[in-house]
Amino acid sequence: MKLISKILLVIAIINTSILSAQETTTGDAIIHDPAAKNNVLIIPFETKMYFSDIDGDLSQKNEMDFHEIKAMFRAELDKNLFISLKEYFNPLSFYTMEQDVVQKELTYIYSSIGYKYQIIEPEVVEKETPAKKLFNKIKPKEKEPQEATIQNGEIVAEIDNREKFMNTVITNDNLIPNLNKTYESTYYVFINQLDIKKSADDAYKAAENQYKREIKVHYTIINSNTKEVSSGAIISRFNSSESDINKIIKIHFPLIAEKITQKLVAPTLQAE
């Protein structure tokens, strides 16, 4: 199936779930139901923020090129977030807008943010097995690397292997206020980066060898006051022999989307 057909299919599925119209900062007025749930705008990752070392296998298995694979993952992640958020909020998706307008909107957003790596303890979403439970019990806590020192006239620095995620930093103070005028959103979910790679945890692979690949979604949630509500990375692992892109999406994207949604649900309930 060609790229355009897949993207149109995703857009059609999302559109059937939307209960109210949307607008853009260059478009017409939004129609909102006063009794509707809080709006949440989903901001997909920039295309340059997709990193995968298994696209060769995916391409061969699914008869898709690299651009189609990236576009499908980007659209499907947005769709799964939309579906997950809909139970608690009124999600807004750029995949429901005209593509020429979307380009202008996203260009403005992406030019108004930056990215910064931060240390985290990533959350893994998957069913535990006895081997993983044992590994989680005996896994030592990673120590912080020592500061660089000079030995025999040479700088000696310890490699920092701690898990990191890419966080979004707002560089344009007008971004959220302008988005507020357009979308009247209470929250903005930024998908900062998507990694699909071999698992970086060698000890984990030794504990249960069939899990050699992982999906890592970096996210940041910001409220209408430009305050960060939550940020981090969600990881879901899958068998190294699995290269069916539809199965990967069907199994793992809902788990990741639900985890990100729960990051929004908790502070919302506390505020009530």
Side-chain angles (χ1 to χ4, degrees):
M1 185 181 293
K2 297 298 182 181
L3 172 61
I4 186 66
S5 299
K6 293 173 182 175
I7 298 303
L8 288 175
L9 176 61
V10 171
I11 293 173
I13 293 173
I14 294 177
N15 272 322
T16 58
S17 303
I18 292 183
L19 300 177
S20 60
Q22 297 183 40
E23 71 156 359
T24 69
T25 52
T26 58
D28 299 323
I30 300 177
I31 301 173
H32 289 309
D33 179 356
K37 303 170 184 177
N38 290 334
N39 288 346
V40 177
L41 179 64
I42 304 167
I43 301 167
F45 62 84
E46 289 190 70
T47 54
K48 69 178 183 180
M49 302 303 287
Y50 169 76
F51 302 95
S52 171
D53 54 20
I54 69 168
D55 276 3
D57 292 340
L58 296 178
S59 178
Q60 183 177 8
K61 172 69 175 180
N62 301 278
E63 298 183 349
M64 299 168 65
D65 65 34
F66 300 147
H67 297 292
E68 291 174 330
I69 292 170
K70 176 167 59 177
M72 187 171 182
F73 278 137
R74 189 171 185 247
E76 288 289 344
L77 185 55
D78 188 281
K79 185 191 79 173
N80 277 272
L81 264 173
F82 186 99
I83 293 171
S84 181
L85 287 165
K86 196 173 185 301
E87 181 178 353
Y88 309 97
F89 305 96
N90 177 40
L92 307 177
S93 169
F94 283 109
Y95 280 89
T96 63
M97 304 178 195
E98 294 295 330
Q99 289 305 298
D100 58 337
V101 177
V102 169
Q103 185 63 37
K104 294 179 181 179
E105 289 286 278
L106 291 180
T107 296
Y108 170 65
I109 292 173
Y110 295 150
S111 66
S112 300
I113 63 176
Y115 301 103
K116 181 181 180 181
Y117 270 119
Q118 293 184 357
I119 305 296
I120 58 157
E121 185 67 34
E123 297 185 61
V124 179
V125 286
E126 60 186 341
K127 184 178 179 180
E128 280 198 337
T129 65
K132 274 181 283 196
K133 289 180 179 179
L134 176 61
F135 169 70
N136 289 335
K137 288 181 179 180
I138 64 175
K139 180 181 179 181
K141 184 177 180 180
E142 294 182 352
K143 65 177 182 178
E144 295 185 8
Q146 297 180 351
E147 294 184 2
T149 59
I150 298 178
Q151 298 179 13
N152 299 323
E154 295 183 354
I155 297 177
V156 178
E158 187 174 340
I159 297 176
D160 188 352
N161 289 319
R162 292 176 296 172
E163 191 76 46
K164 304 178 182 67
F165 87 103
M166 188 66 80
N167 199 8
T168 283
V169 179
I170 304 297
T171 57
N172 177 2
D173 293 338
N174 295 319
L175 174 62
I176 299 301
N178 285 339
L179 293 179
N180 288 341
K181 294 176 184 177
T182 304
Y183 302 101
E184 301 178 7
S185 291
T186 304
Y187 300 104
Y188 298 89
V189 179
F190 290 80
I191 300 302
N192 310 328
Q193 183 171 307
L194 174 61
D195 304 329
I196 304 180
K197 300 182 177 182
K198 295 178 180 178
S199 177
D201 197 332
D202 292 332
Y204 181 95
K205 290 189 291 185
E208 192 158 346
N209 193 50
Q210 66 262 39
Y211 286 88
K212 293 183 178 179
R213 293 174 174 175
E214 65 182 31
I215 302 168
K216 183 176 180 181
V217 177
H218 311 239
Y219 72 92
T220 302
I221 301 172
I222 296 175
N223 66 16
S224 57
N225 296 318
T226 320
K227 180 181 178 182
E228 182 180 302
V229 175
S230 180
S231 63
I234 310 297
I235 290 176
S236 187
R237 298 186 175 105
F238 61 99
N239 196 300
S240 59
S241 63
E242 182 59 78
S243 295
D244 186 321
I245 192 169
N246 290 302
K247 287 184 179 179
I248 293 171
I249 289 170
K250 183 178 180 180
I251 294 173
H252 300 280
F253 277 27
L255 296 174
I256 294 171
E258 180 61 28
K259 197 69 175 180
I260 294 175
T261 296
Q262 291 304 318
K263 300 297 180 181
L264 263 178
V265 173
T268 300
L269 291 177
Q270 292 175 1
E272 293 180 350

Short mmCIF file of all heavy atoms in Angstrom, two decimals, residues 6-18 42-45 71-87 91-96 191 245-246 249-251 253-258 261:
data_model
loop_
_atom_site.label_atom_id
_atom_site.label_comp_id
_atom_site.label_asym_id
_atom_site.label_seq_id
_atom_site.Cartn_x
_atom_site.Cartn_y
_atom_site.Cartn_z
N LYS A 6 -2.11 5.06 3.09
CA LYS A 6 -2.01 4.77 4.52
C LYS A 6 -2.31 6.01 5.36
O LYS A 6 -3.01 5.94 6.36
CB LYS A 6 -0.61 4.24 4.83
CG LYS A 6 -0.35 2.88 4.22
CD LYS A 6 1.09 2.45 4.40
CE LYS A 6 1.33 1.11 3.73
NZ LYS A 6 2.72 0.69 3.78
N ILE A 7 -1.78 7.14 4.92
CA ILE A 7 -2.02 8.37 5.67
C ILE A 7 -3.49 8.75 5.61
O ILE A 7 -4.09 9.16 6.61
CB ILE A 7 -1.15 9.52 5.11
CG1 ILE A 7 0.33 9.16 5.27
CG2 ILE A 7 -1.46 10.81 5.84
CD1 ILE A 7 0.76 8.87 6.67
N LEU A 8 -4.12 8.61 4.45
CA LEU A 8 -5.53 8.93 4.32
C LEU A 8 -6.38 8.02 5.19
O LEU A 8 -7.38 8.45 5.78
CB LEU A 8 -5.96 8.80 2.86
CG LEU A 8 -5.45 9.90 1.91
CD1 LEU A 8 -5.85 9.58 0.48
CD2 LEU A 8 -5.98 11.26 2.32
N LEU A 9 -5.99 6.76 5.30
CA LEU A 9 -6.71 5.83 6.16
C LEU A 9 -6.63 6.25 7.61
O LEU A 9 -7.63 6.24 8.34
CB LEU A 9 -6.14 4.42 5.99
CG LEU A 9 -6.76 3.33 6.90
CD1 LEU A 9 -8.25 3.21 6.61
CD2 LEU A 9 -6.05 2.01 6.67
N VAL A 10 -5.44 6.65 8.05
CA VAL A 10 -5.27 7.11 9.43
C VAL A 10 -6.12 8.34 9.70
O VAL A 10 -6.80 8.45 10.72
CB VAL A 10 -3.77 7.43 9.71
CG1 VAL A 10 -3.63 8.11 11.06
CG2 VAL A 10 -2.97 6.14 9.70
N ILE A 11 -6.10 9.28 8.76
CA ILE A 11 -6.88 10.51 8.92
C ILE A 11 -8.37 10.18 9.01
O ILE A 11 -9.10 10.76 9.82
CB ILE A 11 -6.60 11.47 7.76
CG1 ILE A 11 -5.15 11.96 7.83
CG2 ILE A 11 -7.55 12.65 7.78
CD1 ILE A 11 -4.73 12.78 6.63
N ALA A 12 -8.83 9.25 8.19
CA ALA A 12 -10.24 8.89 8.19
C ALA A 12 -10.66 8.29 9.52
O ALA A 12 -11.73 8.61 10.05
CB ALA A 12 -10.51 7.89 7.06
N ILE A 13 -9.80 7.45 10.09
CA ILE A 13 -10.11 6.83 11.37
C ILE A 13 -10.20 7.87 12.47
O ILE A 13 -11.10 7.86 13.31
CB ILE A 13 -9.05 5.77 11.73
CG1 ILE A 13 -9.14 4.60 10.74
CG2 ILE A 13 -9.26 5.25 13.15
CD1 ILE A 13 -8.04 3.58 10.90
N ILE A 14 -9.26 8.81 12.48
CA ILE A 14 -9.27 9.86 13.50
C ILE A 14 -10.50 10.74 13.34
O ILE A 14 -11.16 11.10 14.31
CB ILE A 14 -7.98 10.71 13.41
CG1 ILE A 14 -6.77 9.85 13.77
CG2 ILE A 14 -8.07 11.90 14.34
CD1 ILE A 14 -5.45 10.57 13.66
N ASN A 15 -10.83 11.10 12.12
CA ASN A 15 -11.94 12.00 11.87
C ASN A 15 -13.26 11.45 12.38
O ASN A 15 -14.13 12.21 12.82
CB ASN A 15 -12.06 12.29 10.37
CG ASN A 15 -11.20 13.47 9.95
OD1 ASN A 15 -11.10 14.44 10.67
ND2 ASN A 15 -10.60 13.38 8.78
N THR A 16 -13.44 10.15 12.33
CA THR A 16 -14.69 9.55 12.78
C THR A 16 -14.86 9.67 14.29
O THR A 16 -15.98 9.51 14.79
CB THR A 16 -14.74 8.07 12.40
OG1 THR A 16 -13.63 7.39 12.96
CG2 THR A 16 -14.72 7.90 10.89
N SER A 17 -13.77 9.96 15.01
CA SER A 17 -13.84 10.05 16.46
C SER A 17 -14.04 11.47 16.97
O SER A 17 -14.29 11.66 18.16
CB SER A 17 -12.55 9.48 17.08
OG SER A 17 -12.35 8.16 16.66
N ILE A 18 -13.91 12.46 16.12
CA ILE A 18 -13.95 13.85 16.55
C ILE A 18 -15.39 14.34 16.67
O ILE A 18 -16.19 14.15 15.78
CB ILE A 18 -13.14 14.74 15.59
CG1 ILE A 18 -11.67 14.37 15.72
CG2 ILE A 18 -13.35 16.20 15.87
CD1 ILE A 18 -10.76 15.20 14.89
N ILE A 42 -2.43 17.44 20.44
CA ILE A 42 -1.33 16.51 20.24
C ILE A 42 -0.38 17.09 19.19
O ILE A 42 -0.81 17.44 18.09
CB ILE A 42 -1.83 15.14 19.75
CG1 ILE A 42 -2.85 14.57 20.74
CG2 ILE A 42 -0.67 14.17 19.56
CD1 ILE A 42 -3.62 13.37 20.19
N ILE A 43 0.89 17.20 19.52
CA ILE A 43 1.89 17.73 18.60
C ILE A 43 2.84 16.61 18.23
O ILE A 43 3.63 16.14 19.05
CB ILE A 43 2.64 18.91 19.24
CG1 ILE A 43 1.64 20.01 19.61
CG2 ILE A 43 3.73 19.44 18.29
CD1 ILE A 43 2.18 21.08 20.50
N PRO A 44 2.78 16.12 16.98
CA PRO A 44 3.61 14.99 16.56
C PRO A 44 5.09 15.36 16.51
O PRO A 44 5.44 16.55 16.42
CB PRO A 44 3.06 14.66 15.17
CG PRO A 44 2.51 15.95 14.67
CD PRO A 44 1.95 16.65 15.88
N PHE A 45 5.94 14.35 16.55
CA PHE A 45 7.38 14.63 16.54
C PHE A 45 7.81 15.16 15.17
O PHE A 45 7.22 14.83 14.14
CB PHE A 45 8.18 13.38 16.91
CG PHE A 45 8.02 12.21 15.98
CD1 PHE A 45 8.77 12.09 14.81
CD2 PHE A 45 7.12 11.18 16.27
CE1 PHE A 45 8.64 11.01 13.96
CE2 PHE A 45 6.97 10.08 15.42
CZ PHE A 45 7.73 10.01 14.27
N ALA A 71 6.52 7.95 8.30
CA ALA A 71 5.22 8.61 8.24
C ALA A 71 4.14 7.77 8.90
O ALA A 71 3.25 8.30 9.59
CB ALA A 71 4.86 8.89 6.78
N MET A 72 4.21 6.46 8.71
CA MET A 72 3.20 5.59 9.32
C MET A 72 3.33 5.55 10.83
O MET A 72 2.32 5.64 11.56
CB MET A 72 3.32 4.17 8.75
CG MET A 72 2.19 3.25 9.19
SD MET A 72 2.23 1.67 8.29
CE MET A 72 0.78 0.87 8.98
N PHE A 73 4.54 5.42 11.35
CA PHE A 73 4.74 5.44 12.80
C PHE A 73 4.27 6.77 13.39
O PHE A 73 3.62 6.79 14.45
CB PHE A 73 6.22 5.22 13.14
CG PHE A 73 6.64 3.78 13.14
CD1 PHE A 73 7.84 3.39 12.56
CD2 PHE A 73 5.86 2.80 13.74
CE1 PHE A 73 8.25 2.06 12.57
CE2 PHE A 73 6.25 1.47 13.77
CZ PHE A 73 7.45 1.10 13.17
N ARG A 74 4.58 7.86 12.72
CA ARG A 74 4.21 9.20 13.21
C ARG A 74 2.68 9.34 13.28
O ARG A 74 2.13 9.82 14.27
CB ARG A 74 4.81 10.25 12.29
CG ARG A 74 4.70 11.70 12.76
CD ARG A 74 5.54 12.57 11.85
NE ARG A 74 5.59 13.96 12.28
CZ ARG A 74 5.04 14.97 11.61
NH1 ARG A 74 4.38 14.73 10.48
NH2 ARG A 74 5.15 16.21 12.06
N ALA A 75 2.01 8.94 12.21
CA ALA A 75 0.56 9.06 12.16
C ALA A 75 -0.13 8.11 13.14
O ALA A 75 -1.09 8.49 13.82
CB ALA A 75 0.06 8.78 10.74
N GLU A 76 0.37 6.88 13.25
CA GLU A 76 -0.26 5.89 14.12
C GLU A 76 -0.06 6.22 15.60
O GLU A 76 -0.92 5.94 16.43
CB GLU A 76 0.28 4.50 13.80
CG GLU A 76 -0.21 3.92 12.49
CD GLU A 76 -1.68 3.53 12.52
OE1 GLU A 76 -2.24 3.42 13.63
OE2 GLU A 76 -2.27 3.33 11.45
N LEU A 77 1.08 6.80 15.94
CA LEU A 77 1.29 7.22 17.32
C LEU A 77 0.31 8.32 17.68
O LEU A 77 -0.27 8.33 18.77
CB LEU A 77 2.74 7.69 17.50
CG LEU A 77 3.16 8.05 18.94
CD1 LEU A 77 2.90 6.89 19.89
CD2 LEU A 77 4.64 8.42 18.96
N ASP A 78 0.11 9.25 16.77
CA ASP A 78 -0.86 10.33 16.97
C ASP A 78 -2.26 9.75 17.13
O ASP A 78 -3.02 10.14 18.02
CB ASP A 78 -0.80 11.28 15.77
CG ASP A 78 -1.64 12.53 15.96
OD1 ASP A 78 -2.87 12.44 15.78
OD2 ASP A 78 -1.07 13.59 16.29
N LYS A 79 -2.62 8.80 16.26
CA LYS A 79 -3.95 8.20 16.31
C LYS A 79 -4.19 7.46 17.63
O LYS A 79 -5.27 7.60 18.25
CB LYS A 79 -4.13 7.22 15.15
CG LYS A 79 -5.55 6.63 15.07
CD LYS A 79 -5.64 5.48 14.09
CE LYS A 79 -5.11 4.19 14.68
NZ LYS A 79 -5.35 3.02 13.80
N ASN A 80 -3.21 6.70 18.08
CA ASN A 80 -3.39 5.96 19.33
C ASN A 80 -3.48 6.88 20.53
O ASN A 80 -4.23 6.60 21.48
CB ASN A 80 -2.24 4.96 19.50
CG ASN A 80 -2.48 3.67 18.75
OD1 ASN A 80 -3.09 2.74 19.26
ND2 ASN A 80 -2.00 3.61 17.50
N LEU A 81 -2.75 7.97 20.51
CA LEU A 81 -2.87 8.97 21.57
C LEU A 81 -4.26 9.58 21.55
O LEU A 81 -4.88 9.79 22.60
CB LEU A 81 -1.81 10.05 21.40
CG LEU A 81 -0.53 9.90 22.21
CD1 LEU A 81 0.49 10.96 21.80
CD2 LEU A 81 -0.81 9.98 23.71
N PHE A 82 -4.74 9.90 20.36
CA PHE A 82 -6.07 10.48 20.22
C PHE A 82 -7.13 9.55 20.83
O PHE A 82 -7.98 9.99 21.61
CB PHE A 82 -6.37 10.70 18.73
CG PHE A 82 -7.65 11.43 18.46
CD1 PHE A 82 -7.64 12.79 18.20
CD2 PHE A 82 -8.87 10.77 18.47
CE1 PHE A 82 -8.83 13.48 17.96
CE2 PHE A 82 -10.06 11.44 18.23
CZ PHE A 82 -10.03 12.80 17.97
N ILE A 83 -7.06 8.28 20.49
CA ILE A 83 -8.04 7.30 20.99
C ILE A 83 -7.95 7.17 22.51
O ILE A 83 -8.97 7.12 23.21
CB ILE A 83 -7.81 5.94 20.32
CG1 ILE A 83 -8.14 6.03 18.83
CG2 ILE A 83 -8.66 4.86 20.99
CD1 ILE A 83 -7.75 4.80 18.04
N SER A 84 -6.73 7.12 23.04
CA SER A 84 -6.54 6.96 24.48
C SER A 84 -7.01 8.19 25.24
O SER A 84 -7.66 8.08 26.30
CB SER A 84 -5.06 6.70 24.78
OG SER A 84 -4.86 6.53 26.17
N LEU A 85 -6.72 9.37 24.72
CA LEU A 85 -7.10 10.62 25.39
C LEU A 85 -8.60 10.86 25.38
O LEU A 85 -9.15 11.50 26.28
CB LEU A 85 -6.40 11.81 24.72
CG LEU A 85 -4.90 11.97 24.97
CD1 LEU A 85 -4.30 12.95 23.97
CD2 LEU A 85 -4.64 12.45 26.40
N LYS A 86 -9.26 10.33 24.37
CA LYS A 86 -10.68 10.65 24.15
C LYS A 86 -11.57 10.23 25.31
O LYS A 86 -12.64 10.79 25.53
CB LYS A 86 -11.16 9.99 22.85
CG LYS A 86 -12.47 10.55 22.34
CD LYS A 86 -12.79 9.98 20.97
CE LYS A 86 -14.05 10.64 20.41
NZ LYS A 86 -15.22 10.46 21.27
N GLU A 87 -11.15 9.25 26.08
CA GLU A 87 -11.96 8.80 27.22
C GLU A 87 -12.06 9.87 28.30
O GLU A 87 -13.07 9.96 29.01
CB GLU A 87 -11.36 7.52 27.82
CG GLU A 87 -12.15 6.96 28.99
CD GLU A 87 -11.57 5.68 29.53
OE1 GLU A 87 -10.62 5.13 28.91
OE2 GLU A 87 -12.06 5.20 30.57
N PRO A 91 -9.49 15.44 22.56
CA PRO A 91 -8.20 15.56 21.88
C PRO A 91 -8.33 16.27 20.53
O PRO A 91 -9.33 16.13 19.83
CB PRO A 91 -7.77 14.09 21.69
CG PRO A 91 -9.05 13.34 21.66
CD PRO A 91 -10.01 14.06 22.55
N LEU A 92 -7.29 17.01 20.18
CA LEU A 92 -7.22 17.72 18.90
C LEU A 92 -5.98 17.23 18.15
O LEU A 92 -4.90 17.17 18.73
CB LEU A 92 -7.12 19.23 19.13
CG LEU A 92 -8.19 19.87 20.04
CD1 LEU A 92 -7.91 21.34 20.21
CD2 LEU A 92 -9.58 19.64 19.48
N SER A 93 -6.16 16.89 16.90
CA SER A 93 -5.07 16.32 16.11
C SER A 93 -4.84 17.11 14.83
O SER A 93 -5.78 17.49 14.14
CB SER A 93 -5.39 14.87 15.76
OG SER A 93 -4.48 14.36 14.80
N PHE A 94 -3.57 17.31 14.51
CA PHE A 94 -3.22 17.98 13.26
C PHE A 94 -3.55 17.11 12.05
O PHE A 94 -3.61 17.61 10.93
CB PHE A 94 -1.73 18.34 13.25
CG PHE A 94 -1.42 19.55 14.08
CD1 PHE A 94 -0.72 19.44 15.28
CD2 PHE A 94 -1.82 20.81 13.67
CE1 PHE A 94 -0.44 20.55 16.04
CE2 PHE A 94 -1.54 21.94 14.43
CZ PHE A 94 -0.85 21.80 15.63
N TYR A 95 -3.76 15.82 12.27
CA TYR A 95 -4.09 14.93 11.17
C TYR A 95 -5.52 15.12 10.69
O TYR A 95 -5.95 14.46 9.74
CB TYR A 95 -3.84 13.48 11.56
CG TYR A 95 -2.38 13.10 11.46
CD1 TYR A 95 -1.52 13.28 12.54
CD2 TYR A 95 -1.85 12.59 10.28
CE1 TYR A 95 -0.17 12.95 12.45
CE2 TYR A 95 -0.51 12.25 10.18
CZ TYR A 95 0.32 12.44 11.27
OH TYR A 95 1.66 12.13 11.17
N THR A 96 -6.29 16.01 11.33
CA THR A 96 -7.66 16.29 10.89
C THR A 96 -7.73 17.58 10.09
O THR A 96 -8.82 17.99 9.69
CB THR A 96 -8.59 16.40 12.12
OG1 THR A 96 -8.19 17.52 12.92
CG2 THR A 96 -8.54 15.13 12.94
N ILE A 191 5.12 15.13 21.39
CA ILE A 191 5.88 13.91 21.17
C ILE A 191 7.22 14.39 20.62
O ILE A 191 7.31 14.87 19.49
CB ILE A 191 5.18 12.97 20.19
CG1 ILE A 191 3.80 12.58 20.75
CG2 ILE A 191 6.04 11.73 19.95
CD1 ILE A 191 3.86 11.91 22.12
N ILE A 245 5.11 -4.35 10.67
CA ILE A 245 4.87 -3.01 11.21
C ILE A 245 3.47 -2.87 11.79
O ILE A 245 3.27 -2.18 12.80
CB ILE A 245 5.14 -1.93 10.14
CG1 ILE A 245 5.18 -0.53 10.78
CG2 ILE A 245 4.11 -2.00 9.02
CD1 ILE A 245 5.70 0.53 9.83
N ASN A 246 2.49 -3.53 11.20
CA ASN A 246 1.12 -3.45 11.72
C ASN A 246 1.00 -4.13 13.09
O ASN A 246 0.30 -3.63 13.98
CB ASN A 246 0.15 -4.09 10.72
CG ASN A 246 0.00 -3.26 9.46
OD1 ASN A 246 -0.38 -2.10 9.50
ND2 ASN A 246 0.31 -3.86 8.32
N ILE A 249 2.73 -1.91 15.76
CA ILE A 249 1.87 -0.77 16.11
C ILE A 249 0.68 -1.22 16.94
O ILE A 249 0.36 -0.62 17.97
CB ILE A 249 1.40 -0.06 14.83
CG1 ILE A 249 2.56 0.68 14.17
CG2 ILE A 249 0.26 0.91 15.13
CD1 ILE A 249 2.26 1.22 12.79
N LYS A 250 0.01 -2.28 16.51
CA LYS A 250 -1.20 -2.75 17.19
C LYS A 250 -0.95 -3.17 18.62
O LYS A 250 -1.77 -2.91 19.51
CB LYS A 250 -1.80 -3.91 16.40
CG LYS A 250 -3.11 -4.43 16.98
CD LYS A 250 -3.69 -5.55 16.13
CE LYS A 250 -5.00 -6.07 16.70
NZ LYS A 250 -5.56 -7.17 15.87
N ILE A 251 0.19 -3.80 18.86
CA ILE A 251 0.49 -4.31 20.21
C ILE A 251 1.06 -3.23 21.13
O ILE A 251 0.66 -3.11 22.29
CB ILE A 251 1.46 -5.50 20.13
CG1 ILE A 251 0.79 -6.68 19.42
CG2 ILE A 251 1.94 -5.91 21.52
CD1 ILE A 251 1.73 -7.84 19.14
N PHE A 253 1.77 0.45 20.50
CA PHE A 253 1.38 1.86 20.54
C PHE A 253 0.23 2.13 21.51
O PHE A 253 0.25 3.16 22.19
CB PHE A 253 1.04 2.34 19.13
CG PHE A 253 2.27 2.75 18.33
CD1 PHE A 253 3.51 2.20 18.60
CD2 PHE A 253 2.18 3.68 17.32
CE1 PHE A 253 4.64 2.56 17.88
CE2 PHE A 253 3.30 4.05 16.59
CZ PHE A 253 4.53 3.49 16.87
N PRO A 254 -0.78 1.26 21.63
CA PRO A 254 -1.83 1.52 22.63
C PRO A 254 -1.29 1.54 24.06
O PRO A 254 -1.74 2.34 24.88
CB PRO A 254 -2.81 0.35 22.41
CG PRO A 254 -2.60 -0.05 20.99
CD PRO A 254 -1.13 0.11 20.75
N LEU A 255 -0.33 0.66 24.35
CA LEU A 255 0.26 0.63 25.69
C LEU A 255 0.99 1.94 26.00
O LEU A 255 0.85 2.51 27.10
CB LEU A 255 1.24 -0.54 25.81
CG LEU A 255 0.69 -1.95 25.67
CD1 LEU A 255 1.82 -2.96 25.68
CD2 LEU A 255 -0.30 -2.24 26.79
N ILE A 256 1.74 2.41 25.04
CA ILE A 256 2.50 3.65 25.21
C ILE A 256 1.55 4.84 25.33
O ILE A 256 1.72 5.70 26.20
CB ILE A 256 3.48 3.84 24.04
CG1 ILE A 256 4.55 2.76 24.07
CG2 ILE A 256 4.12 5.24 24.08
CD1 ILE A 256 5.44 2.72 22.84
N ALA A 257 0.54 4.88 24.47
CA ALA A 257 -0.42 5.98 24.49
C ALA A 257 -1.18 6.03 25.81
O ALA A 257 -1.39 7.12 26.38
CB ALA A 257 -1.39 5.83 23.33
N GLU A 258 -1.57 4.88 26.32
CA GLU A 258 -2.30 4.83 27.58
C GLU A 258 -1.43 5.33 28.74
O GLU A 258 -1.91 6.03 29.63
CB GLU A 258 -2.77 3.40 27.86
CG GLU A 258 -3.54 3.23 29.17
CD GLU A 258 -4.82 4.06 29.21
OE1 GLU A 258 -5.40 4.35 28.15
OE2 GLU A 258 -5.24 4.43 30.33
N THR A 261 -1.30 9.06 28.55
CA THR A 261 -2.60 9.60 28.95
C THR A 261 -2.73 9.64 30.46
O THR A 261 -3.25 10.61 31.03
CB THR A 261 -3.73 8.74 28.36
OG1 THR A 261 -3.69 8.83 26.93
CG2 THR A 261 -5.10 9.23 28.84
#
